[in-house]
Amino acid sequence: MTRLIVAVLSVVLLALLALAGVWLLGQLLTGLGALIVGVASVLGGLLKFLLAASVVCGVVYFVASGWRRPHA
């Protein structure tokens, strides 16, 4: 009878450990997903800034080239 109780408790403990492992893996994947979304958001903002800065710099270059000294 003792062996049966130990066997049942071992199976229950193994099931609990497996569930804890699955839960931990889910937590890690959730954190990784949040990190990836955050990095994508930051990179998207950087891309928008670089596009806007390149357009503004191009306009400034174009306008400034109109006031250059003519070649002698």
Side-chain angles (χ1 to χ4, degrees):
M1 187 69 177
T2 305
R3 285 184 179 178
L4 180 63
I5 292 173
V6 169
V8 169
L9 288 177
S10 298
V11 169
V12 169
L13 181 62
L14 186 62
L16 287 175
L17 286 175
L19 284 174
V22 169
W23 176 82
L24 183 60
L25 183 64
Q27 293 297 315
L28 290 173
L29 289 176
T30 301
L32 183 63
L35 178 69
I36 289 172
V37 168
V39 168
S41 174
V42 168
L43 289 177
L46 180 64
L47 179 64
K48 288 178 187 176
F49 170 76
L50 289 176
L51 286 173
S54 63
V55 167
V56 169
C57 289
V59 169
V60 167
Y61 180 78
F62 178 75
V63 171
S65 67
W67 275 284
R68 279 194 290 184
R69 281 190 302 178
H71 295 329

